């Protein structure tokens, strides 16, 4: 990779981190309403899968993947407005967090119902296939969500038709408080791929190089019409399930161990190996991301709060006769 | 004993589990975490992992396995982390649980309780604010309860656990820690199918349930000089306590039904139709309804407030009806 790309990837990791940190801080200050689900610690997964996608590929982020929004091209300012529930958010305030997608950039907004996006991603990939478009759909889901029937149903269909979809399981070892061993009886979620007739791969989700290499293979395979892949990224969320969760169900030791495998630190080590001026890159990047997030926050704060009657907008595509109703 | 609404639910589950070893609790994060809202705090330690079960994330599984347990004589309490996720278990409720007894010609009962936090007013957005009781109101074979007080929360939970039919128990998360009440220390059960007369009045009946009960009671007090309101808290939605509804409307001649769930196709529609038919001769005004507007429950506060009923809208509806 070129130095420019190495730096750029570092920028994305840090931008997401800065975004997450700022949101958590604002939540603590009581500036945000509703649930906040930090993806801090999992940045390499979203950067690794989204960075090299084409503009007309589609992603289906899970509830902590605000990083995926950013890397896929969502305007950080609108994303922040979305989190504030403001009019300039993707949902125009009708919901917050990642429940409003940015369809123009190929970013699908999920419902809360975990993994309900997977059948949708499969359907979209089916269209790519029947119209012979070399586009791919990337569907993210948690290891907890993997217990839902929607996951099985989507993968089964994708296997039958060899659809251009990549299923990305972000295994951060907990689903809220529930550990892997109470969630499934296999060692790896990726082991299930065999049951659908496609390939499953396990990757260190904190190692951006590893994620990118695996992502590239899976995406190429999908684009060439060779069918889906299930990639399981082993990673960790530093924060609780939501900002309200103290996460007493895990040990401090475990958190510290994972912090030592931080995706951003790992990337800095790599930059050092390449003999770049890491100190300078770090400072310059820190400044850039701080500015970007400041700007996003300022925009979101200034964005108007929706007014009551706006609640009635965007329900139907075709006007309805309210008198007749 | 002074308890919150949520503590009342916890106590009822604890006491029922203590009383009957066939009572088990299944749900996501109900054990180690004690529930997302801490409604099952301490129960894993007390009853162990065979009776307080942290389930994989699948509402369909939680409810379906509950049916299997029930056929074996167990009495499972099945938690939906938020009631909004009940839609992910829809088939197991309406096709599996609700028809279990019927399709076996009465050979078995289905003593399950499906419970979870419902309701808006907390900026929960589209998927953490729902009031889906009407979806299930349409299904024969189910019972539905929706307590508005700590006393009823406890008593109805006990009744639900002891009931041999599938009961959907709608908790109101807005009320979880907002209300605190003195309840008797000794054992009590609130029967399913009985409404509560919260306030007697002669001019107008307001029939309601869940969190709007409190807004309606406040309106009744605030408007005492203007109009003498009678307040019926349904507590059970299926089966409806038509005796209580008829008695009240026959006395006052006016009925307003208030619920937080969508007005169109809501439970109020059935009640209004029954009143129109059964109390026609007694009515002095149109049967009125107030529910949520024709939209999803949005996140941003002004829009949420616009969609959901509130104190102001309740007062306005009462004034309109009182003027007839
Ligand atoms: C169908 C459904 N059931 C329950 C929930 C409540 N819930 C939200 S996130 C979550 C845990 C998800 O765990 P996982 O899939 O591993 O993703 P993570 O949060 O760890 O990223 C639960 C149970 C939900 N959103 N959807
Ligand atoms: Mg997880």
């Amino acid at each position: 990779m070129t130095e420019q790309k190495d730096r750029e990837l570092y920028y994305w990791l840090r931008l997401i981190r800065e975004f997450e940190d700022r949101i958590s801080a604002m939540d603590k200050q009581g500036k945000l309403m509703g649930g906040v689900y930090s993806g801090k610690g999992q940045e390499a997964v979203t950067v690794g899968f989204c960075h090299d996608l084409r503009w007309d590929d589609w992603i289906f982020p899970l509830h902590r993947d605000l990083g995926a929004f950013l890397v896929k091209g969502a305007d950080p300012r609108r994303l922040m407005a979305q989190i504030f529930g403001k009019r300039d958010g993707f949902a125009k305030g009708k919901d917050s967090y990642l429940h409003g997608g940015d369809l123009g950039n190929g970013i699908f907004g999920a419902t809360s119902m975990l993994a309900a996006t997977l059948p949708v991603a499969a359907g979209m990939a089916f269209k790519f296939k029947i119209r012979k478009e070399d586009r791919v759909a990337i569907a993210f889901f948690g290891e907890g969500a993997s217990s839902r029937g929607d996951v099985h149903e989507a993968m089964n269909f994708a296997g039958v038709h060899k659809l251009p979809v990549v299923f990305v399981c972000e295994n951060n070892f907990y689903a809220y408080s529930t550990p892997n061993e109470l969630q499934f009886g296999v060692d790896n979620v990726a082991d299930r791929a065999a049951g659908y007739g496609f390939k499953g791969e396990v990757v260190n989700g904190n190692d951006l190089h590893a994620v990118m290499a695996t992502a590239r293979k899976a995406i190429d395979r999908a684009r060439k019409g060779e069918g889906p892949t299930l990639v399981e990224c082993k990673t960790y969320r530093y924060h609780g399930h939501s900002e309200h969760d103290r996460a007493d169900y895990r040990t401090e030791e475990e958190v510290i161990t994972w912090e030592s495998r931080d995706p951003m630190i790992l990337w800095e080590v790599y930059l050092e190996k390449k003999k770049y001026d890491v100190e300078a890159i770090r400072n310059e990047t820190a400044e850039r991301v701080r500015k970007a997030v400041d700007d996003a926050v300022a925009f979101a704060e200034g964005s108007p709060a929706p007014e009551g009657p706006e609640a009635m907008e965007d329900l139907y595509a075709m006007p309805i006769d309210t008198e007749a109703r | 004993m002074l308890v919150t609404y949520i503590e009342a639910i916890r106590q009822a589950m604890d006491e029922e589990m203590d009383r009957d070893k066939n009572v088990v609790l299944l749900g996501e994060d109900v054990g180690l975490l004690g529930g997302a809202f801490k409604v099952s705090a301490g129960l894993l330690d007390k009853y162990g992992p065979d009776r307080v079960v942290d389930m994989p994330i699948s509402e369909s599984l939680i409810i379906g396995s509950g049916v299997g347990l029930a056929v074996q004589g167990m009495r499972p309490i099945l938690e939906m982390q938020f009631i909004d996720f009940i839609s992910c278990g829809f088939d197991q409720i309406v096709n599996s649980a609700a028809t279990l007894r019927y399709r076996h010609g009465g050979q078995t009962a289905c003593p399950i309780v499906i419970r979870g936090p419902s309701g808006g007013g907390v900026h929960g957005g589209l998927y953490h604010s729902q009031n889906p009781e009407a979806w299930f109101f349409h299904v024969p074979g189910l019972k539905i309860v929706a307590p508005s007080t700590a006393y009823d929360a406890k008593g109805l939970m006990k009744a639900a656990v002891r009931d041999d039919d599938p009961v959907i128990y709608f908790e109101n998360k807005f009320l979880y820690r907002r209300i605190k009440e003195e309840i008797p220390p000794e054992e009590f059960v609130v029967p399913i199918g009985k409404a509560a007369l919260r306030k007697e009045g002669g001019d107008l009946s307001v029939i309601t349930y869940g969190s709007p009960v409190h807004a309606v009671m406040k309106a009744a007090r605030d408007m005492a000089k203007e109009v003498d309101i009678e307040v019926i808290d349904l507590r059970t939605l299926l089966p409806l306590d038509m005796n209580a509804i008829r008695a009240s409307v026959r006395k006052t001649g006016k009925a307003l039904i208030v619920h937080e769930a969508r007005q169109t196709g809501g439970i109020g529609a059935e009640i209004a139709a029954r009143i129109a038919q059964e109390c026609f001769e007694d009515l002095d005004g149109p049967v009125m309804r107030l529910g949520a507007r024709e939209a999803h429950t949005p996140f941003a506060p002004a829009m949420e407030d616009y969609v959901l009923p509130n104190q102001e809208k309740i007062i306005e509806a009462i004034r309109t009806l009182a003027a007839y």
Side-chain angles (χ1 to χ4, degrees), chain A residues 58-62 69 82 90 97-103 106-112 116-117 120, chain B residues 127:
Chain A
W58 277 71
I59 61 167
F60 295 74
L62 62 75
F69 273 65
Q82 166 71 18
F90 306 116
Y97 237 73
L98 307 182
H99 297 148
D102 180 10
L103 302 184
I107 304 168
F108 191 78
T111 67
S112 274
T117 44
V120 181
Chain B
Y127 315 106

Side-chain angles (χ1 to χ4, degrees), chain A residues 33-34 37 82-85 92-96 99 110-114 144-145 147-149 175-179 182-183 241 245 249 306-312 315 325, chain B residues 28-30 32-33 35-37 54-59 81 84-85 87-88 122-128 130 264 293-304 306-307:
Chain A
M33 299 167 296
Y37 306 93
Q82 166 71 18
I83 285 159
F84 274 66
K92 301 183 196 159
K94 299 207 178 63
D95 209 341
S96 73
H99 297 148
T111 67
S112 274
M113 288 60 191
L114 294 163
S147 299
R148 287 207 58 226
Y176 207 153
S177 71
T178 305
L182 290 177
Q183 199 69 244
H241 166 64
D245 172 24
Y249 43 82
E307 286 174 21
E310 291 172 44
M312 310 312 288
L315 260 179
R325 297 183 78 225
Chain B
E28 293 147 15
D29 307 292
V30 295
L32 293 163
L33 189 70
F37 290 90
D54 277 321
M55 293 291 280
I57 299 173
S58 171
E59 289 68 24
Q81 198 162 85
D84 310 59
F85 304 128
S87 47
C88 300
V122 296
H123 316 314
L126 306 179
Y127 315 106
H128 291 78
Q130 295 177 11
T264 300
R293 285 182 203 265
E294 309 308 297
H296 305 285
T297 306
F299 173 78
M303 292 199 290
E304 181 178 23
Y306 185 78
V307 169

